[in-house]
Amino acid sequence: NFKTFQCEICQARYRSYVTMRCHRRSTHFRRHNAGFKFDCDVCKRRFFKWEGLRVHQKMMHGVITESTRVQMYERDYGKQCPLCKMYYQGAHSLSEHIAKSHQDYDGKLFDCEQCDKSYRHYAHLRSHLHTLFQKHGLPMKFKRTKKV
């Protein structure tokens, strides 16, 4: 048997004190629940991102509810796939999604703002921009992370 820690506000139980404390802060003590956009319709837990709600429902409830599936199309951040209308946090995530889910799509979604070239993958656009900016001495519009 595991020792459990119970939230005194909603009676939810957790295996560790730290997890219970995180639950209390994120669920009950956020000022006006700022930033929470996605609610679990099973247990009412709130999430900043749809992906967090989806993972929570799958792990804690064993099923992703229909209302959560509908919310997938209502997210208002990131890049939207023009083929299935799902949203992704950024261009790289969208590019990976297209490569996996729309393998037959041969269109180019990532346009260079400096010239008339277009690319199917975001990584190819970044490579093009890097070369373009080095060749013409233009300032980089994105930061590269240095490998340690």
mmCIF file of all heavy atoms in Angstrom, residues 36-39 48-51 53 65-81 84-88:
data_model
loop_
_atom_site.group_PDB
_atom_site.id
_atom_site.type_symbol
_atom_site.label_atom_id
_atom_site.label_comp_id
_atom_site.label_asym_id
_atom_site.label_seq_id
_atom_site.Cartn_x
_atom_site.Cartn_y
_atom_site.Cartn_z
ATOM 1 N N PHE A 36 -5.427 29.069 -17.983
ATOM 2 C CA PHE A 36 -6.018 27.753 -18.181
ATOM 3 C C PHE A 36 -7.097 27.848 -19.245
ATOM 4 O O PHE A 36 -8.003 28.663 -19.151
ATOM 5 C CB PHE A 36 -6.645 27.220 -16.890
ATOM 6 C CG PHE A 36 -5.630 26.832 -15.852
ATOM 7 C CD1 PHE A 36 -5.489 27.568 -14.697
ATOM 8 C CD2 PHE A 36 -4.830 25.724 -16.033
ATOM 9 C CE1 PHE A 36 -4.566 27.198 -13.742
ATOM 10 C CE2 PHE A 36 -3.901 25.343 -15.089
ATOM 11 C CZ PHE A 36 -3.771 26.092 -13.937
ATOM 12 N N LYS A 37 -6.992 27.020 -20.264
ATOM 13 C CA LYS A 37 -7.968 27.070 -21.352
ATOM 14 C C LYS A 37 -8.702 25.750 -21.532
ATOM 15 O O LYS A 37 -9.722 25.701 -22.177
ATOM 16 C CB LYS A 37 -7.271 27.413 -22.665
ATOM 17 C CG LYS A 37 -6.653 28.774 -22.696
ATOM 18 C CD LYS A 37 -5.963 29.003 -24.019
ATOM 19 C CE LYS A 37 -5.326 30.377 -24.052
ATOM 20 N NZ LYS A 37 -4.622 30.614 -25.302
ATOM 21 N N PHE A 38 -8.161 24.675 -20.954
ATOM 22 C CA PHE A 38 -8.700 23.353 -21.234
ATOM 23 C C PHE A 38 -9.059 22.633 -19.934
ATOM 24 O O PHE A 38 -8.209 22.441 -19.082
ATOM 25 C CB PHE A 38 -7.682 22.546 -22.042
ATOM 26 C CG PHE A 38 -7.291 23.238 -23.312
ATOM 27 C CD1 PHE A 38 -6.122 23.961 -23.394
ATOM 28 C CD2 PHE A 38 -8.134 23.202 -24.403
ATOM 29 C CE1 PHE A 38 -5.773 24.624 -24.558
ATOM 30 C CE2 PHE A 38 -7.801 23.862 -25.578
ATOM 31 C CZ PHE A 38 -6.620 24.577 -25.653
ATOM 32 N N ASP A 39 -10.329 22.250 -19.813
ATOM 33 C CA ASP A 39 -10.835 21.584 -18.612
ATOM 34 C C ASP A 39 -11.134 20.122 -18.897
ATOM 35 O O ASP A 39 -11.730 19.794 -19.919
ATOM 36 C CB ASP A 39 -12.131 22.251 -18.130
ATOM 37 C CG ASP A 39 -11.934 23.700 -17.737
ATOM 38 O OD1 ASP A 39 -10.797 24.074 -17.410
ATOM 39 O OD2 ASP A 39 -12.920 24.450 -17.762
ATOM 40 N N PHE A 48 -3.152 24.222 -19.178
ATOM 41 C CA PHE A 48 -2.755 25.336 -20.027
ATOM 42 C C PHE A 48 -2.837 24.940 -21.497
ATOM 43 O O PHE A 48 -3.166 25.754 -22.341
ATOM 44 C CB PHE A 48 -1.305 25.767 -19.742
ATOM 45 C CG PHE A 48 -1.136 26.405 -18.412
ATOM 46 C CD1 PHE A 48 -0.512 25.731 -17.388
ATOM 47 C CD2 PHE A 48 -1.587 27.691 -18.183
ATOM 48 C CE1 PHE A 48 -0.338 26.324 -16.161
ATOM 49 C CE2 PHE A 48 -1.424 28.294 -16.956
ATOM 50 C CZ PHE A 48 -0.797 27.606 -15.933
ATOM 51 N N LYS A 49 -2.486 23.688 -21.797
ATOM 52 C CA LYS A 49 -2.420 23.247 -23.182
ATOM 53 C C LYS A 49 -3.302 22.028 -23.406
ATOM 54 O O LYS A 49 -3.479 21.202 -22.514
ATOM 55 C CB LYS A 49 -0.983 22.904 -23.558
ATOM 56 C CG LYS A 49 -0.071 24.107 -23.497
ATOM 57 C CD LYS A 49 1.320 23.744 -23.896
ATOM 58 C CE LYS A 49 2.205 24.984 -23.850
ATOM 59 N NZ LYS A 49 3.585 24.658 -24.189
ATOM 60 N N TRP A 50 -3.811 21.910 -24.613
ATOM 61 C CA TRP A 50 -4.663 20.777 -24.966
ATOM 62 C C TRP A 50 -3.907 19.464 -24.832
ATOM 63 O O TRP A 50 -4.465 18.459 -24.384
ATOM 64 C CB TRP A 50 -5.179 20.950 -26.396
ATOM 65 C CG TRP A 50 -6.009 19.791 -26.839
ATOM 66 C CD1 TRP A 50 -7.336 19.605 -26.579
ATOM 67 C CD2 TRP A 50 -5.578 18.660 -27.578
ATOM 68 N NE1 TRP A 50 -7.753 18.420 -27.120
ATOM 69 C CE2 TRP A 50 -6.689 17.818 -27.742
ATOM 70 C CE3 TRP A 50 -4.366 18.267 -28.120
ATOM 71 C CZ2 TRP A 50 -6.622 16.615 -28.427
ATOM 72 C CZ3 TRP A 50 -4.295 17.070 -28.804
ATOM 73 C CH2 TRP A 50 -5.423 16.256 -28.942
ATOM 74 N N GLU A 51 -2.616 19.466 -25.183
ATOM 75 C CA GLU A 51 -1.827 18.247 -25.104
ATOM 76 C C GLU A 51 -1.764 17.712 -23.673
ATOM 77 O O GLU A 51 -1.801 16.516 -23.436
ATOM 78 C CB GLU A 51 -0.409 18.472 -25.640
ATOM 79 C CG GLU A 51 -0.348 18.648 -27.131
ATOM 80 C CD GLU A 51 -0.657 20.080 -27.593
ATOM 81 O OE1 GLU A 51 -0.952 20.952 -26.742
ATOM 82 O OE2 GLU A 51 -0.628 20.306 -28.809
ATOM 83 N N LEU A 53 -4.077 18.119 -21.346
ATOM 84 C CA LEU A 53 -5.391 17.529 -21.069
ATOM 85 C C LEU A 53 -5.507 16.159 -21.710
ATOM 86 O O LEU A 53 -5.966 15.205 -21.078
ATOM 87 C CB LEU A 53 -6.497 18.450 -21.594
ATOM 88 C CG LEU A 53 -7.922 17.882 -21.576
ATOM 89 C CD1 LEU A 53 -8.347 17.502 -20.164
ATOM 90 C CD2 LEU A 53 -8.887 18.892 -22.191
ATOM 91 N N THR A 65 -12.090 11.916 -23.941
ATOM 92 C CA THR A 65 -13.521 12.147 -24.151
ATOM 93 C C THR A 65 -13.784 12.890 -25.458
ATOM 94 O O THR A 65 -12.904 13.539 -26.017
ATOM 95 C CB THR A 65 -14.130 12.952 -22.992
ATOM 96 O OG1 THR A 65 -13.536 14.254 -22.980
ATOM 97 C CG2 THR A 65 -13.919 12.259 -21.658
ATOM 98 N N GLU A 66 -15.006 12.810 -25.913
ATOM 99 C CA GLU A 66 -15.398 13.455 -27.170
ATOM 100 C C GLU A 66 -15.244 14.972 -27.075
ATOM 101 O O GLU A 66 -14.797 15.606 -28.023
ATOM 102 C CB GLU A 66 -16.842 13.087 -27.534
ATOM 103 C CG GLU A 66 -17.283 13.613 -28.889
ATOM 104 C CD GLU A 66 -16.394 13.125 -30.048
ATOM 105 O OE1 GLU A 66 -15.867 12.001 -29.982
ATOM 106 O OE2 GLU A 66 -16.232 13.891 -31.017
ATOM 107 N N SER A 67 -15.597 15.559 -25.923
ATOM 108 C CA SER A 67 -15.473 17.019 -25.812
ATOM 109 C C SER A 67 -14.011 17.448 -25.880
ATOM 110 O O SER A 67 -13.689 18.514 -26.390
ATOM 111 C CB SER A 67 -16.129 17.537 -24.538
ATOM 112 O OG SER A 67 -15.327 17.309 -23.422
ATOM 113 N N THR A 68 -13.104 16.606 -25.399
ATOM 114 C CA THR A 68 -11.675 16.903 -25.500
ATOM 115 C C THR A 68 -11.220 16.800 -26.944
ATOM 116 O O THR A 68 -10.443 17.618 -27.430
ATOM 117 C CB THR A 68 -10.856 15.957 -24.607
ATOM 118 O OG1 THR A 68 -11.223 16.199 -23.244
ATOM 119 C CG2 THR A 68 -9.366 16.187 -24.762
ATOM 120 N N ARG A 69 -11.725 15.804 -27.657
ATOM 121 C CA ARG A 69 -11.382 15.668 -29.076
ATOM 122 C C ARG A 69 -11.843 16.895 -29.864
ATOM 123 O O ARG A 69 -11.142 17.374 -30.748
ATOM 124 C CB ARG A 69 -12.016 14.417 -29.670
ATOM 125 C CG ARG A 69 -11.393 13.136 -29.179
ATOM 126 C CD ARG A 69 -12.080 11.937 -29.831
ATOM 127 N NE ARG A 69 -11.842 10.722 -29.101
ATOM 128 C CZ ARG A 69 -10.731 10.003 -29.175
ATOM 129 N NH1 ARG A 69 -9.750 10.395 -29.951
ATOM 130 N NH2 ARG A 69 -10.590 8.895 -28.473
ATOM 131 N N VAL A 70 -13.013 17.410 -29.532
ATOM 132 C CA VAL A 70 -13.537 18.593 -30.218
ATOM 133 C C VAL A 70 -12.641 19.800 -29.938
ATOM 134 O O VAL A 70 -12.366 20.595 -30.838
ATOM 135 C CB VAL A 70 -14.994 18.872 -29.778
ATOM 136 C CG1 VAL A 70 -15.450 20.244 -30.246
ATOM 137 C CG2 VAL A 70 -15.913 17.792 -30.316
ATOM 138 N N GLN A 71 -12.161 19.929 -28.696
ATOM 139 C CA GLN A 71 -11.300 21.056 -28.336
ATOM 140 C C GLN A 71 -9.997 21.060 -29.131
ATOM 141 O O GLN A 71 -9.369 22.108 -29.291
ATOM 142 C CB GLN A 71 -10.978 21.033 -26.849
ATOM 143 C CG GLN A 71 -12.136 21.391 -25.958
ATOM 144 C CD GLN A 71 -11.721 21.398 -24.504
ATOM 145 O OE1 GLN A 71 -10.790 22.101 -24.136
ATOM 146 N NE2 GLN A 71 -12.398 20.614 -23.687
ATOM 147 N N MET A 72 -9.596 19.893 -29.629
ATOM 148 C CA MET A 72 -8.371 19.777 -30.409
ATOM 149 C C MET A 72 -8.398 20.749 -31.586
ATOM 150 O O MET A 72 -7.383 21.315 -31.973
ATOM 151 C CB MET A 72 -8.223 18.342 -30.913
ATOM 152 C CG MET A 72 -7.102 18.120 -31.899
ATOM 153 S SD MET A 72 -6.900 16.389 -32.342
ATOM 154 C CE MET A 72 -8.499 15.926 -32.953
ATOM 155 N N TYR A 73 -9.559 20.965 -32.165
ATOM 156 C CA TYR A 73 -9.689 21.829 -33.325
ATOM 157 C C TYR A 73 -9.926 23.291 -32.956
ATOM 158 O O TYR A 73 -9.976 24.141 -33.822
ATOM 159 C CB TYR A 73 -10.823 21.332 -34.220
ATOM 160 C CG TYR A 73 -10.560 19.940 -34.744
ATOM 161 C CD1 TYR A 73 -11.165 18.835 -34.161
ATOM 162 C CD2 TYR A 73 -9.671 19.737 -35.787
ATOM 163 C CE1 TYR A 73 -10.902 17.553 -34.630
ATOM 164 C CE2 TYR A 73 -9.394 18.460 -36.258
ATOM 165 C CZ TYR A 73 -10.013 17.378 -35.675
ATOM 166 O OH TYR A 73 -9.737 16.116 -36.130
ATOM 167 N N GLU A 74 -10.091 23.573 -31.663
ATOM 168 C CA GLU A 74 -10.400 24.925 -31.219
ATOM 169 C C GLU A 74 -9.209 25.631 -30.596
ATOM 170 O O GLU A 74 -9.338 26.746 -30.122
ATOM 171 C CB GLU A 74 -11.561 24.882 -30.219
ATOM 172 C CG GLU A 74 -12.833 24.353 -30.837
ATOM 173 C CD GLU A 74 -13.929 24.099 -29.817
ATOM 174 O OE1 GLU A 74 -13.680 24.251 -28.611
ATOM 175 O OE2 GLU A 74 -15.026 23.733 -30.245
ATOM 176 N N ARG A 75 -8.055 24.979 -30.585
ATOM 177 C CA ARG A 75 -6.884 25.607 -29.993
ATOM 178 C C ARG A 75 -6.508 26.833 -30.812
ATOM 179 O O ARG A 75 -6.634 26.846 -32.020
ATOM 180 C CB ARG A 75 -5.711 24.617 -29.947
ATOM 181 C CG ARG A 75 -6.022 23.460 -29.032
ATOM 182 C CD ARG A 75 -4.929 22.469 -29.045
ATOM 183 N NE ARG A 75 -4.871 21.849 -30.376
ATOM 184 C CZ ARG A 75 -3.904 21.048 -30.767
ATOM 185 N NH1 ARG A 75 -2.904 20.793 -29.979
ATOM 186 N NH2 ARG A 75 -3.919 20.515 -31.960
ATOM 187 N N ASP A 76 -6.035 27.859 -30.131
ATOM 188 C CA ASP A 76 -5.774 29.121 -30.828
ATOM 189 C C ASP A 76 -4.309 29.534 -30.732
ATOM 190 O O ASP A 76 -3.994 30.690 -30.572
ATOM 191 C CB ASP A 76 -6.670 30.221 -30.264
ATOM 192 C CG ASP A 76 -6.431 30.461 -28.788
ATOM 193 O OD1 ASP A 76 -5.689 29.690 -28.156
ATOM 194 O OD2 ASP A 76 -6.967 31.446 -28.273
ATOM 195 N N TYR A 77 -3.412 28.583 -30.814
ATOM 196 C CA TYR A 77 -2.002 28.936 -30.772
ATOM 197 C C TYR A 77 -1.231 28.142 -31.807
ATOM 198 O O TYR A 77 -1.688 27.121 -32.293
ATOM 199 C CB TYR A 77 -1.415 28.670 -29.385
ATOM 200 C CG TYR A 77 -1.436 27.219 -28.985
ATOM 201 C CD1 TYR A 77 -0.393 26.360 -29.332
ATOM 202 C CD2 TYR A 77 -2.502 26.702 -28.270
ATOM 203 C CE1 TYR A 77 -0.419 25.025 -28.971
ATOM 204 C CE2 TYR A 77 -2.537 25.373 -27.918
ATOM 205 C CZ TYR A 77 -1.491 24.543 -28.259
ATOM 206 O OH TYR A 77 -1.506 23.231 -27.917
ATOM 207 N N GLY A 78 -0.073 28.628 -32.147
ATOM 208 C CA GLY A 78 0.817 27.882 -33.012
ATOM 209 C C GLY A 78 0.438 27.917 -34.474
ATOM 210 O O GLY A 78 -0.207 28.836 -34.960
ATOM 211 N N LYS A 79 0.857 26.888 -35.165
ATOM 212 C CA LYS A 79 0.663 26.767 -36.606
ATOM 213 C C LYS A 79 -0.434 25.758 -36.902
ATOM 214 O O LYS A 79 -0.461 24.681 -36.327
ATOM 215 C CB LYS A 79 1.957 26.307 -37.267
ATOM 216 C CG LYS A 79 3.136 27.197 -37.042
ATOM 217 C CD LYS A 79 3.082 28.357 -37.986
ATOM 218 C CE LYS A 79 4.325 29.211 -37.844
ATOM 219 N NZ LYS A 79 4.313 30.338 -38.714
ATOM 220 N N GLN A 80 -1.324 26.088 -37.814
ATOM 221 C CA GLN A 80 -2.427 25.203 -38.161
ATOM 222 C C GLN A 80 -2.109 24.427 -39.434
ATOM 223 O O GLN A 80 -1.641 24.988 -40.417
ATOM 224 C CB GLN A 80 -3.715 25.990 -38.356
ATOM 225 C CG GLN A 80 -4.923 25.099 -38.555
ATOM 226 C CD GLN A 80 -6.202 25.886 -38.695
ATOM 227 O OE1 GLN A 80 -6.205 27.008 -39.184
ATOM 228 N NE2 GLN A 80 -7.297 25.301 -38.260
ATOM 229 N N CYS A 81 -2.372 23.132 -39.384
ATOM 230 C CA CYS A 81 -2.201 22.292 -40.567
ATOM 231 C C CYS A 81 -3.316 22.632 -41.552
ATOM 232 O O CYS A 81 -4.492 22.567 -41.195
ATOM 233 C CB CYS A 81 -2.270 20.813 -40.185
ATOM 234 S SG CYS A 81 -2.192 19.711 -41.607
ATOM 235 N N CYS A 84 -5.652 19.130 -42.164
ATOM 236 C CA CYS A 84 -6.596 18.556 -41.192
ATOM 237 C C CYS A 84 -7.053 19.570 -40.150
ATOM 238 O O CYS A 84 -7.849 19.246 -39.281
ATOM 239 C CB CYS A 84 -5.982 17.344 -40.506
ATOM 240 S SG CYS A 84 -4.586 17.740 -39.441
ATOM 241 N N LYS A 85 -6.532 20.787 -40.208
ATOM 242 C CA LYS A 85 -6.928 21.903 -39.344
ATOM 243 C C LYS A 85 -6.494 21.753 -37.892
ATOM 244 O O LYS A 85 -6.927 22.511 -37.034
ATOM 245 C CB LYS A 85 -8.442 22.166 -39.399
ATOM 246 C CG LYS A 85 -8.970 22.381 -40.801
ATOM 247 C CD LYS A 85 -8.284 23.527 -41.502
ATOM 248 C CE LYS A 85 -8.851 23.750 -42.885
ATOM 249 N NZ LYS A 85 -7.905 24.383 -43.776
ATOM 250 N N MET A 86 -5.647 20.799 -37.561
ATOM 251 C CA MET A 86 -5.125 20.682 -36.199
ATOM 252 C C MET A 86 -4.034 21.728 -35.999
ATOM 253 O O MET A 86 -3.396 22.156 -36.948
ATOM 254 C CB MET A 86 -4.561 19.280 -35.957
ATOM 255 C CG MET A 86 -5.628 18.242 -35.765
ATOM 256 S SD MET A 86 -4.955 16.609 -35.389
ATOM 257 C CE MET A 86 -4.005 16.924 -33.933
ATOM 258 N N TYR A 87 -3.832 22.128 -34.725
ATOM 259 C CA TYR A 87 -2.814 23.122 -34.414
ATOM 260 C C TYR A 87 -1.586 22.451 -33.802
ATOM 261 O O TYR A 87 -1.706 21.459 -33.082
ATOM 262 C CB TYR A 87 -3.350 24.144 -33.413
ATOM 263 C CG TYR A 87 -4.209 25.192 -34.054
ATOM 264 C CD1 TYR A 87 -5.574 24.999 -34.179
ATOM 265 C CD2 TYR A 87 -3.656 26.367 -34.532
ATOM 266 C CE1 TYR A 87 -6.368 25.965 -34.762
ATOM 267 C CE2 TYR A 87 -4.449 27.337 -35.117
ATOM 268 C CZ TYR A 87 -5.796 27.130 -35.224
ATOM 269 O OH TYR A 87 -6.581 28.086 -35.811
ATOM 270 N N TYR A 88 -0.447 23.059 -34.079
ATOM 271 C CA TYR A 88 0.813 22.590 -33.519
ATOM 272 C C TYR A 88 1.562 23.779 -32.960
ATOM 273 O O TYR A 88 1.389 24.902 -33.428
ATOM 274 C CB TYR A 88 1.626 21.848 -34.585
ATOM 275 C CG TYR A 88 0.938 20.563 -34.931
ATOM 276 C CD1 TYR A 88 -0.068 20.534 -35.890
ATOM 277 C CD2 TYR A 88 1.206 19.403 -34.224
ATOM 278 C CE1 TYR A 88 -0.760 19.371 -36.159
ATOM 279 C CE2 TYR A 88 0.514 18.240 -34.487
ATOM 280 C CZ TYR A 88 -0.462 18.230 -35.452
ATOM 281 O OH TYR A 88 -1.159 17.089 -35.690
#
